[in-house]
Amino acid sequence: MKRIGIFTSGGDSPGMNACIRAAVRTCLAYNIEPYGIRRGYEGMIEDDIQLLNAGSVSNIIQYGGTVLKTARSAEFRTPEGRAKAAENLKKHGIEGLVCIGGNGSYTGALYLQKEHGIPSIGCPGTIDNDLAGTDYTIGFDTAVNTAMDAIDRIRDTAESHGRVFFVEVMGRDSGYIGLYAGLAGGAEGILIPEKGNQFDVLIKYYEQKSRKKEFSIYVVAEGDEEGKALELSRRFLQHYPQSDTRVVVLGHIQRGGKPTASDRILASRLGAHAVKGLTEGKNNCAVGVIRDEIVYTSFEEAIKGKKELNDNLWVLNEMICR
Ligand code: F6P
C-alpha cells in the first residue's frame, strides 16, 4: 500500500487530533503517503483531499475538535455520492482509508468497500462510548471529566441554596457518560436509557430524606426514555412543589476541550494500529483496545453489536449514591 487517506466523520470528539497525528506519522514510518480528507465523506465527494507530511500534524495533540474538520454527509448516503467519492480516491491513488468516527462513519466505509473495493479500518471516535469492539472510544474519558467537573461546580451552589439540580449529559442512545460522570461526581441519582423506572426510585429516596432542604444532584442522559432533564424536573416539581429545582444541560461543552492523557494515548494507539492493520491486509474492521490489547472487529459486528453497560458500576453506584 503506497497511499492512505485519513478522515474524521460524524460528531467530533476530543482526541481525534491525536489519532490523525498518529495515523499520519505511522504512514510516514512505513513509507506510505498520508492523504488528509477534509470534512469526512463530504470532502471525499468534493475532492477536498491533500497530501500531508509530519509537520502538518505538529502541535495538534493537545487540542479538541479535528483539524481535518468533520461533517454528516447526506449525499454520501446515495450510490451516486459514493461513486463520486470513490472516483476521487482512485484519482489520488488512495488504496486504503483510516476512518475516525462512530457507527454511521463505519457504515459508510463498509459501503465503499462493497461497492468500490476500497478497504478501510475504523478508529472509534465518539464521546458516547457506544461502539462494540473496544472498551473505550476516543473522547469518552475527556467528556466524562468535563461532565464531572461541571457537576462539582454545580454541587457547590446546590449545597449553598439547598437546591435540586437535574444535570443533562450527552448520550443519544447510551448511558455511559451519565453513569461514569454520575458515579465520579457523586450524584444522588442517575437516569439513563439502559435502566428504566429510575424516576420512581428517585422519588422514593427523596421522600425518605430526613431534611427536605437537603440538596440533590440527578444526572440524566439525553436519551433517557423517561424524559430529558427539563421534563423530569417538571415531574419532580409536581411531586414537590416547594422544592427549589434547577436544570443544567451540558450539551456540546462535553464535545470540546483539551483531551485527557488517556484519550491521547488511546487515540495514538488506535491511529497507529489502523495504519499498521491496513499494511497487514486487514480491512473492513474497526480497531479497538480491549483489556489493554489491540483488537480488530469486523465493521458488521461493530455496527450491530450494542456495547453493554458495565453493570458492576451501576450496582456499585446504587449501593453508595444515597
Ligand atoms: O457525538 C455523539 C453525540 O454527542 C450524541 O450524544 C449527541 O446526541 C449528538 O452527538 C449530537 O450531535 P450533533 O449536535 O452534532 O448532531
Side-chain angles (χ1 to χ4, degrees):
M1 201 165 272
K2 285 276 153 256
R3 290 178 180 181
I4 285 179
I6 301 159
F7 66 102
T8 48
S9 157
D12 61 349
S13 67
M16 280 185 164
N17 282 329
C19 190
I20 296 167
R21 172 178 176 270
V24 168
R25 300 256 169 102
T26 308
C27 279
L28 297 172
Y30 281 84
N31 282 322
I32 294 167
E33 288 182 332
Y35 278 76
I37 302 163
R38 286 161 56 87
R39 294 177 294 113
Y41 293 115
E42 204 67 21
M44 220 179 266
I45 293 170
E46 289 170 16
D47 196 17
D48 198 352
I49 300 173
Q50 58 184 211
L51 182 62
L52 302 176
N53 56 42
S56 325
V57 290
S58 288
N59 200 28
I60 64 169
I61 197 167
Q62 72 275 34
Y63 297 119
T66 156
V67 292
L68 289 177
K69 318 284 184 213
T70 187
R72 302 189 200 273
S73 173
E75 197 180 349
F76 192 78
R77 295 211 181 92
T78 66
E80 296 76 24
R82 294 194 288 274
K84 263 198 242 170
E87 200 181 299
N88 287 329
L89 294 174
K90 287 179 182 162
K91 190 175 83 190
H92 289 282
I94 292 171
E95 297 161 281
L97 293 169
V98 173
C99 157
I100 309 165
N103 243 316
S105 314
Y106 288 178
T107 308
L110 194 58
Y111 272 105
L112 271 182
Q113 161 73 35
K114 282 189 177 155
E115 294 173 356
H116 302 282
I118 300 166
S120 294
I121 293 194
C123 293
T126 163
I127 62 166
D128 289 348
N129 200 36
D130 58 350
L131 292 173
T134 190
D135 286 338
Y136 298 105
T137 55
I138 299 166
F140 171 67
D141 187 60
T142 307
V144 168
N145 276 285
T146 303
M148 179 193 73
D149 188 50
I151 293 167
D152 288 349
R153 288 161 194 261
I154 291 166
R155 181 172 288 284
D156 292 344
T157 177
E159 184 178 21
S160 305
H161 287 266
R163 282 175 171 159
V164 174
F165 272 81
F166 285 82
V167 182
E168 186 173 300
V169 297
M170 273 190 167
R172 205 170 7 205
D173 313 302
S174 163
Y176 259 98
I177 298 178
L179 176 58
Y180 277 60
L183 178 55
E188 278 69 30
I190 298 175
L191 297 101
I192 52 178
E194 292 85 348
K195 304 280 172 188
N197 302 323
Q198 289 307 304
F199 187 76
D200 291 343
V201 176
L202 176 161
I203 293 292
K204 187 179 115 200
Y205 282 104
Y206 189 78
E207 197 81 49
Q208 287 170 6
K209 280 197 173 185
S210 49
R211 290 174 294 123
K212 290 277 165 56
K213 279 296 275 179
E214 217 175 326
F215 76 102
S216 290
I217 294 178
Y218 300 118
V219 172
V220 184
E222 64 176 342
D224 187 54
E225 278 154 21
E226 294 182 275
K228 292 189 183 242
L230 189 60
E231 197 181 323
L232 293 180
S233 78
R234 286 188 181 134
R235 275 175 69 189
F236 187 85
L237 271 170
Q238 283 165 8
H239 284 266
Y240 301 107
Q242 311 308 335
S243 69
D244 200 359
T245 301
R246 294 288 187 279
V247 173
V248 177
V249 178
L250 297 181
H252 289 76
I253 287 171
Q254 297 157 97
R255 284 250 291 263
K258 244 170 117 72
T260 58
S262 259
D263 270 330
R264 297 182 201 191
I265 293 165
L266 174 69
S268 301
R269 291 178 81 184
L270 296 176
H273 281 276
V275 171
K276 196 163 171 279
L278 282 171
T279 66
E280 290 164 356
K282 296 188 175 70
N283 72 64
N284 280 328
C285 57
V287 60
V289 174
I290 294 183
R291 285 184 219 92
D292 209 32
E293 295 287 332
I294 294 288
V295 291
Y296 295 87
T297 306
S298 74
F299 274 149
E300 277 96 345
E301 250 180 272
I303 291 164
K304 70 171 187 312
K306 171 112 176 90
K307 177 141 94 216
E308 294 301 322
L309 200 73
N310 184 339
D311 223 43
N312 292 333
L313 290 187
W314 176 262
V315 172
L316 166 69
N317 188 62
E318 281 298 281
M319 188 170 70
I320 63 177
C321 74
R322 294 168 191 105

